[in-house]
Amino acid sequence: MSEWLPETPRTLAFPTAAYVTLAGADWLASASPHPDEMHALWATRPAAPSVLPCGTAFDVINAPALFGRRMVDRLWSDGPGSGPVAAHRGRILLFAAPGTAQRLPALLGWEEWATAVPPLLCHGSGDAVTVPPLHPCRGAAETSPANDLFLAAEEPSAPAGSRWLVAPDVRDPWLPGPDVLLWACVRAARSVAGPEQETAAQHPVSALTRG
C-alpha cells in the first residue's frame, strides 16, 4: 500500500456492491433526525431517491462526473479506497467525514494546483443531498459499479440518473477526510496535465496540507 497513509481501511480491489445492505441503510438513516421515518419510506418506496441532511453522519463532495471518476480511480488505485460513492444528475457524490465540506475548500486554496480542479460543491452542516434508491431500479442495465462510474464520467449528457457506485454496506463505513480528498484532487488534476506532472504528484498527503 502507499506509505502516505498508515492504515488501509478497505480492500484495494474495486468494490462491486451496487445496492445498500440493511446495515448500510441503518447508517444512511442515522443522518436523519427521524431515522425510523426513513426506514418506513424506504420500505414503501425502495426504488425512489430520498433526501438526507449532511453534517452529522457524513459530508458530501459533489464533483463533475469525469473529474469525480478520476478522483475515485486514484483513491482505489493508489490510496485507501473511498467511502460510499453515488452518481446523480451527471455528477459524482463522494461521501466524506463530517467537517470535510468546510475544510477541503480552505486546503485547496493553499494548493498550487487548485486552478486545475473544477468547481466542487461541498455539502456540510445545514445542507442536504439526494441519495440514490437503496436498490437499482428494475430493468436497469446490468453493469458493474466500476463500469457505471465510467459511463457516468464519459456520458454527462445522458439522461439524469441516481445510482450507487460504491454502496454503503456497513453501519460505520470508513469515510475519507479533507486531507485524503485533497490528495485525490491533486492527483486527478495532475493526471490531466501529463505523465511528468503525475510523477511529481506522488508525495505524502501531509506535504499537501498547509495550516
Side-chain angles (χ1 to χ4, degrees):
M1 63 166 287
S2 300
E3 295 181 355
W4 58 264
L5 200 63
E7 295 182 1
T8 300
R10 306 182 74 177
T11 174
L12 294 182
F14 197 89
T16 58
Y19 59 89
V20 180
T21 64
L22 291 175
D26 285 341
W27 172 70
L28 286 172
S30 72
S32 170
H34 307 290
D36 291 341
E37 292 182 8
M38 296 307 305
H39 280 295
L41 174 65
W42 293 329
T44 56
R45 302 179 59 196
S50 51
V51 177
L52 288 172
C54 301
T56 53
F58 54 77
D59 282 359
V60 170
I61 303 304
N62 182 331
L66 185 56
F67 190 81
R69 173 184 181 267
R70 290 191 177 109
M71 287 180 65
V72 177
D73 283 348
R74 294 303 178 202
L75 287 168
W76 283 100
S77 63
D78 302 319
S82 71
V85 180
H88 182 67
R89 296 187 179 276
R91 296 180 69 88
I92 300 298
L93 309 182
L94 295 99
F95 286 69
T100 299
Q102 179 179 10
R103 183 67 176 148
L104 181 60
L107 293 179
L108 278 171
W110 286 93
E111 173 55 50
E112 62 178 323
W113 281 84
T115 56
V117 176
L120 303 176
L121 304 178
C122 299
H123 306 294
S125 181
D127 300 324
V129 295
T130 300
V131 301
L134 301 191
H135 294 265
C137 296
R138 185 176 303 174
E142 294 183 358
T143 55
S144 70
N147 191 46
D148 277 348
L149 184 57
F150 176 82
L151 293 175
E154 297 297 325
E155 301 180 11
S157 60
S162 184
R163 62 196 182 280
W164 291 104
L165 306 177
V166 181
D169 55 3
V170 294
R171 284 186 174 84
D172 187 22
W174 177 81
L175 299 173
D179 288 356
V180 172
L181 290 180
L182 173 68
W183 174 87
C185 283
V186 172
R187 290 295 294 268
R190 283 175 161 165
S191 70
V192 178
E196 60 278 3
Q197 288 90 343
E198 172 67 3
T199 299
Q202 297 179 10
H203 54 75
V205 168
S206 58
L208 298 177
T209 306
R210 299 173 172 84

